[in-house]
Amino acid sequence: ISREQLMVVYIDDHIVVADKPPGVLCAPGIRRHPSIADVVYDAFGCESDRVDKMIVHRLDMDTSGIVVFARTQLALINLHKFFREREVTKTYEALVCGELTPETGEVNYPLQRDHCLPPFMRVSTPESEEDAARVVCDLQHAGYKKIMQKAPKPCKTQFKVISIGVFGDSPITRVALTPITGRTHQLRVHCASLGHPIIGDQSYGFLGEGAPNGGLEDSVINEIAPNRATLSLQRDIDALVRKEGTQLCLHAKQLFIPHPVTNKPMMFESSPPF
């Protein structure tokens, strides 16, 4: 991403709010791959002259949408506090496979690191926790063992259907997602656990690298989601995704947050690219 491609939603002396495109890192990776944070830093700078001191929160590389960066140390401290104490409300928009029912609801599955398919996440079940405990006992690498033995974390996502549409000839649903918690890959795993994976999700969608159904057994998901997107429907959508090069259809659409210095309530919004 270049300076010319950077879409700035808001800027003042303390914060920069940008609209991140899909396929771009939020922050510099381990190998210093280019990120939107680098572009924001090069364009506007910050008090500390360090790009890492601008980073408040992150979106997955394939997720598009609103991201806020700090330009001063005071802003960084207060923004971290707002996120930590859940004074921030985020709303995402997604396209999922099939017709999602009911029109509104809540997913309340805890998530854990998938011990069989690291580094991906999955819904935590009593069986998966027992399996993970056995795997952890056999691990020799101390750092990896520390990561894998972390306890499952409570996760909650609220959803509301916006509209029903089609992708090619396949039914799909446009849905608003509000994460009450903020866990790694939470929205992607929770949608998969509903039987309606997000379109373009190469990790938790059709034949993805992560566990199918977010880690739930077919028998369980068939019972709790009788209207789930069938595998044949997911296959047809996946074929069109690959043919057209469709990106992950998940977008951070709205961010409600107090200003880190004035404490004034602020709302930032951008339209999804799908």
Side-chain angles (χ1 to χ4, degrees):
I1 182 172
S2 66
R3 172 66 181 88
E4 291 70 31
Q5 295 170 313
L6 180 65
M7 293 180 285
V8 176
V9 176
Y10 175 85
I11 184 171
D12 64 23
D13 291 340
H14 298 280
I15 60 174
V16 179
V17 180
D19 187 0
K20 185 184 88 67
V24 175
L25 288 171
C26 242
I30 297 174
R31 296 176 179 84
R32 289 294 304 177
H33 291 306
S35 70
I36 190 170
D38 290 306
V39 180
V40 169
Y41 172 77
D42 290 341
F44 305 112
C46 66
E47 185 179 68
S48 65
D49 286 328
R50 288 175 49 181
V51 66
D52 61 305
K53 294 293 186 180
M54 299 187 77
I55 297 165
V56 177
H57 66 124
R58 302 170 191 245
L59 299 177
D60 291 343
M61 184 173 77
D62 294 328
T63 302
S64 57
I66 296 292
V67 187
V68 59
F69 296 96
R71 298 185 69 194
T72 63
Q73 183 65 17
L74 178 60
L76 182 69
I77 291 170
N78 287 337
L79 288 169
H80 277 160
K81 174 179 175 289
F82 295 155
F83 274 87
R84 185 173 61 250
E85 297 181 359
R86 298 180 185 172
E87 296 181 44
V88 177
T89 301
K90 295 178 284 183
T91 301
Y92 291 71
E93 195 165 304
L95 296 179
V96 300
C97 300
E99 295 187 24
L100 176 61
T101 57
E103 290 191 356
T104 61
E106 185 173 278
V107 187
N108 202 5
Y109 292 135
L111 299 187
Q112 67 180 115
R113 189 73 62 178
D114 194 328
H115 57 284
C116 293
L117 298 167
F120 300 105
M121 305 297 289
R122 58 158 293 152
V123 170
S124 174
T125 65
E127 295 78 14
S128 70
E129 288 189 56
E130 289 179 8
D131 289 344
R134 285 193 290 270
V135 169
V136 167
C137 285
D138 296 332
L139 290 175
Q140 303 299 317
H141 191 286
Y144 188 52
K145 190 169 187 174
K146 182 178 180 181
I147 293 172
M148 297 304 294
Q149 68 184 5
K150 287 184 178 179
K153 294 183 177 181
C155 293
K156 185 182 295 186
T157 302
Q158 295 173 343
F159 67 87
K160 181 178 181 180
V161 170
I162 298 171
S163 63
I164 304 296
V166 292
F167 186 73
D169 296 323
S170 302
I172 62 171
T173 302
R174 184 175 293 271
V175 60
L177 302 167
T178 302
I180 307 304
T181 52
R183 313 302 183 198
T184 301
H185 294 178
Q186 175 179 320
L187 300 181
R188 297 164 68 180
V189 176
H190 274 177
C191 285
S193 73
L194 288 171
H196 299 275
I198 296 174
I199 292 174
D201 193 338
Q202 302 302 315
S203 297
Y204 303 102
F206 181 73
L207 297 182
E209 300 171 278
N213 306 329
L216 297 179
E217 297 290 339
D218 276 330
S219 58
V220 174
I221 204 165
N222 285 335
E223 181 178 345
I224 63 177
N227 197 39
R228 64 176 293 189
T230 63
L231 288 179
S232 61
L233 174 62
Q234 293 184 45
R235 182 181 62 242
D236 291 345
I237 290 174
D238 181 69
L240 189 55
V241 162
R242 295 179 185 278
K243 179 181 178 181
E244 298 189 351
T246 304
Q247 299 269 16
L248 176 72
C249 293
L250 178 62
H251 180 79
K253 185 176 183 178
Q254 289 182 334
L255 179 70
F256 292 87
I257 191 169
H259 190 279
V261 177
T262 67
N263 216 40
K264 177 184 176 182
M266 305 189 80
M267 189 276 283
F268 305 108
E269 184 172 17
S270 74
S271 299
F274 47 81

